[in-house]
Amino acid sequence: MHLQLKRRLYIACILLTGIFTLLMIRLAWVQIVQVNRTMPGFQRTVREMSVLQRERGVVLDTGRGQFTDYKGQPLTGKLEWGLVFFPHTNQSSHSYPSTRADSEVKKMAALLHTNVKLLQEEWNQGDTPHFWTAGARQPVTLTDSQVARLRELQVDGASIYPMMTRYGQGDTGMQWLGYLAERPGSLNTQAGHKDEVKQPFAMKSGAAGLERTLEPLLKGIGPTLVSRMVTGSGEVIATIQPRVIAPSNTHYPLRAQTTIDAKIQQGIEHIVQNSDMKEGAIVVLDAANADVRAMVSLPFYNPQHVDPNQTAWANRAVKGAVPGSIFKIVTAAAALEYQAVSKGETFHCGGEWGKYGLSCWKEHGHGELNLEQGFAESCNIVFAETARRLSMEQLERMADALGLGRPVGWEGKQVAGMSVLQHFDHEEAGRVRLPSVSPQNEGAKVQTAIGQRDVLVTPLQAANLIVTLLHEGKVSAPRLVQRIRYADGDTMLEIPQHDSPSAAGQISPATAHQLLSWMRKVVSEGTGKSLQHARWQVAGKSGTAQVQQRGEKRNHQWFIGYGPTHQPKYAVAVLVQNVAPNSRHQATEMFRKVMDYLAESS
C-alpha cells in the first residue's frame, strides 16, 4: 500500500512537471516570438495590445478616409487644435489640486470663456481623457492666441493636441457627401475585424451619401490617439508622459477625389443663401463629360448634427419631382423622331383646349404656332395636340432614350471588393407613368406630355438630359468620384467615365441639334427672354409644375439649360420647389445667377 502511494505521487509529480514545462514553453513562445506578431482581428501586436490595456486614450484622428474636390482641394478633414483633459479619479492625490481653483486654472477658464466651476465639472467628467467641449457635442476648436496662452500656462493634466475635424462649421448644401452616425448594426462588417477604441467618436460609420456608399474604403485601419499610462485601479500615472499611438501603414487613410469643384460648390451655396429660394436643388454638370461640378440641395443640413427624422439631410438633387414643361423636350423629341408633326404645320392656341380641363398659361392664347414656336412659348395646347398623335409607349421609350425614368448616376459592379459601387446614394429612378395607368388613357397621355400627372424627374436627370443633347443623343453616366488615392498620393483606384445606354436606343444627332436650337429660341423669343442679358449667351427650357403640399396648391419651378451656346462648358438644372402659384419664376432668375457666376469663374 505504501509502495502504491509512492508510485501515484511519482506519476503526479511527472504530470505536474510536464504541465509546468508546457506552460513555460508556451510562455516563452508568447514572450519571445508571438509578442511581436499581429493579433488576429486587430492591427496591432500582442505587445502593443498589452500596453493599450494599461492606458487611457482620446482619439485625435479616427483614421477615416477624407474627400477632396477634383483639383485636390480638401472637402473634409481639417487639422485644428483642441484641449485634452486627463481626469484623475483619486481626488486626494497630490498630482492635481482637488479643486483646481488655483490661479493657472482661473486663467485657463478665462481663456476658454467659461467659469472655473464648469471647467472643473467637465474636467472631472468620467475617468478617461477627453476634449474640452464646453458642454456641446463637438470638441471646441482653439484659436492660435488661445493655443499660445494655454501653452504658457502649462496646467498639469491639460494638454493641447491636434485633432482632425471632419466637417466645417455650420450648414451646407452638400447632401451628396452625407454624414456619419453610430450604427451598431453596420460595425465590424469585415470578417474577424474588431475595433480597438471603444468610443462613440471612433465607431461612427457612413449613414448617407458618399460616406455610406464608400464606407468599405473610408473606414480606415485604425485611429490615432494620445494616451496616458494608468494603474490597475485606473488612476493616471502623472510621472509618465503621454504618448501618441498611430497606425504604421503609410498608405492610409485613403482620399476620395471627387468631381466637385469646391469653388463652384461654395459659390452657388452663397448665391442660394442670399436668395429667396427655400426648397429645391441645383446641379451643375461639366458639358464635356457629365461630371458633377456642383450639387446643392435645399434646405441645407449640418452634417455634424443630423436628425434622421428630419428631411434636410436628404439630397433633393436625386429625388424625383414633377417636371412640368421641361418634359416637353421629351415630347418634342418624340414628335421629331416619329415624325408626328409635318414640317411647317401650325396649331391654334386660343387659351383653352376644351378637354381634360387643359388650358394654356397665356390666358387668351398664342394664336397660330408651329411646334418650334410652341416649344419656345411653352404652349400647352400645341403639345396637347402633338401628344394625341403619339402613343404612351413612344413617350416612355423616348424618355428612356434620353436618360429619364431610370437611374443614370455612375454605378460599377465588383469594384474594390464591393459588389456594387454607386456614386449617388438613394438615387431615385423617376417615372413617366404609373403601371396602373392605361397607355390608352388619352387624358393621362396629354397630361404626361406636358410634364404633369405622374411624371417625375430628378434634377440630376434633368441636367444630364442637356448633356445628352450636347453629345448628339449619347447618354452619359454622371460621376461624383473620379479616383481613390492612397495617403501618399499614389492612385489606388480609377473610376472611369462610362455611358448609360438605353435599350430603346438613342435619338438621332439631327433631333438633338434641333432641340438645342429650339432652346436657344426659348431665350431669344420665348419664356426665357430675361436671360438675354446674361454674361454668357445661354439656352434652355423653363417649366412650371402644379403640385399640392399638405392640401394647398403649390408650384415647382424649373429651368434647365447650358452655356455658353457657342462652346458649351456647363449644363445646369435648377429646381425651386413648393412656391406660391402666380409668383415670379425664381428658377429662371437662379439659373441666370448661376450662369453669371460660372462665367465670372471661368
Side-chain angles (χ1 to χ4, degrees), residues 439-491:
Q440 282 71 47
N441 185 328
E442 185 179 73
K445 181 178 64 175
V446 169
Q447 290 288 337
T448 298
I450 62 172
Q452 288 286 162
R453 183 74 187 209
D454 305 313
V455 187
L456 294 177
V457 173
T458 71
L460 177 64
Q461 290 172 332
N464 199 51
L465 168 61
I466 300 299
V467 178
T468 296
L469 297 177
L470 292 171
H471 287 243
E472 299 186 326
K474 183 182 72 173
V475 182
S476 300
R479 291 186 307 174
L480 200 47
V481 180
Q482 58 186 27
R483 66 178 54 86
I484 306 295
R485 292 189 182 276
Y486 289 114
D488 56 15
D490 290 342
T491 298

Side-chain angles (χ1 to χ4, degrees), residues 227-343:
S227 66
R228 294 292 299 266
M229 196 69 71
V230 298
T231 64
S233 61
E235 297 179 11
V236 173
I237 303 175
T239 56
I240 301 179
Q241 293 299 310
R243 73 187 189 106
V244 174
I245 305 172
S248 58
N249 193 328
T250 58
H251 286 311
Y252 292 87
L254 300 176
R255 294 203 305 269
Q257 186 174 0
T258 69
T259 61
I260 294 293
D261 185 318
K263 181 180 178 182
I264 294 177
Q265 177 76 29
Q266 293 164 7
I268 295 177
E269 288 190 15
H270 182 72
I271 290 172
V272 167
Q273 287 176 312
N274 290 280
S275 72
D276 295 330
M277 186 173 173
K278 304 300 181 185
E279 299 177 66
I282 299 175
V283 177
V284 178
L285 300 184
D286 191 316
N289 52 24
D291 279 352
V292 179
R293 295 302 181 213
M295 180 176 279
V296 177
S297 178
L298 276 90
F300 285 2
Y301 82 124
N302 188 329
Q304 296 188 102
H305 307 297
V306 172
D307 182 354
N309 297 319
Q310 301 297 319
T311 60
W313 62 270
N315 185 4
R316 297 195 183 207
V318 294
K319 301 295 181 183
V322 183
S325 292
I326 67 167
F327 194 79
K328 290 173 182 175
I329 296 173
V330 176
T331 306
L336 294 172
E337 288 287 290
Y338 297 113
Q339 300 179 352
V341 178
S342 303
K343 188 175 182 180

Side-chain angles (χ1 to χ4, degrees), residues 311-522:
T311 60
W313 62 270
N315 185 4
R316 297 195 183 207
V318 294
K319 301 295 181 183
V322 183
S325 292
I326 67 167
F327 194 79
K328 290 173 182 175
I329 296 173
V330 176
T331 306
L336 294 172
E337 288 287 290
Y338 297 113
Q339 300 179 352
V341 178
S342 303
K343 188 175 182 180
E345 183 178 0
T346 60
F347 303 86
H348 179 75
C349 170
E352 297 290 336
W353 195 45
K355 287 186 177 182
Y356 315 118
L358 187 70
S359 62
C360 187
W361 63 269
K362 191 171 184 179
E363 185 177 357
H364 300 294
H366 292 95
E368 298 297 318
L369 296 167
N370 59 27
L371 185 58
E372 178 181 5
Q373 293 168 327
F375 185 92
E377 294 289 349
S378 199
C379 177
N380 287 340
I381 308 302
V382 169
F383 278 84
E385 288 291 344
T386 301
R388 296 182 66 185
R389 307 177 187 187
L390 297 165
S391 67
M392 184 70 86
E393 290 85 351
Q394 287 174 325
L395 289 174
E396 289 178 303
R397 284 199 298 271
M398 192 53 52
D400 196 282
L402 291 170
L404 306 183
R406 58 188 175 92
V408 293
W410 196 97
E411 180 180 303
K413 300 186 185 300
Q414 302 303 324
V415 178
M418 293 177 280
S419 57
V420 178
L421 172 60
Q422 295 176 320
H423 286 192
F424 301 94
D425 188 30
H426 295 102
E427 179 191 2
E428 294 183 357
R431 66 174 182 239
V432 176
R433 69 177 175 94
L434 290 170
S436 58
V437 177
S438 171
Q440 282 71 47
N441 185 328
E442 185 179 73
K445 181 178 64 175
V446 169
Q447 290 288 337
T448 298
I450 62 172
Q452 288 286 162
R453 183 74 187 209
D454 305 313
V455 187
L456 294 177
V457 173
T458 71
L460 177 64
Q461 290 172 332
N464 199 51
L465 168 61
I466 300 299
V467 178
T468 296
L469 297 177
L470 292 171
H471 287 243
E472 299 186 326
K474 183 182 72 173
V475 182
S476 300
R479 291 186 307 174
L480 200 47
V481 180
Q482 58 186 27
R483 66 178 54 86
I484 306 295
R485 292 189 182 276
Y486 289 114
D488 56 15
D490 290 342
T491 298
M492 172 194 176
L493 176 67
E494 286 283 354
I495 308 292
Q497 298 170 359
H498 66 66
D499 299 331
S500 181
S502 166
Q506 67 180 60
I507 65 172
S508 67
T511 295
H513 290 304
Q514 188 80 66
L515 292 171
L516 292 172
S517 173
W518 290 3
M519 288 183 190
R520 292 193 290 272
K521 196 163 186 176
V522 168

Side-chain angles (χ1 to χ4, degrees), residues 87-139:
H88 196 75
T89 56
N90 187 353
Q91 294 298 314
S92 65
S93 171
H94 296 293
S95 299
Y96 300 97
S98 59
T99 61
R100 292 194 176 99
D102 54 17
S103 61
E104 286 79 10
V105 175
K106 289 181 179 179
K107 292 178 182 178
M108 177 186 289
L111 283 173
L112 296 176
H113 307 294
T114 186
N115 59 60
V116 174
K117 181 180 179 182
L118 293 177
L119 183 65
Q120 291 171 351
E121 289 177 354
E122 184 162 343
W123 198 332
N124 290 314
Q125 186 177 5
D127 60 354
T128 59
H130 53 273
F131 278 102
W132 162 247
T133 66
R137 287 180 286 183
Q138 300 294 327

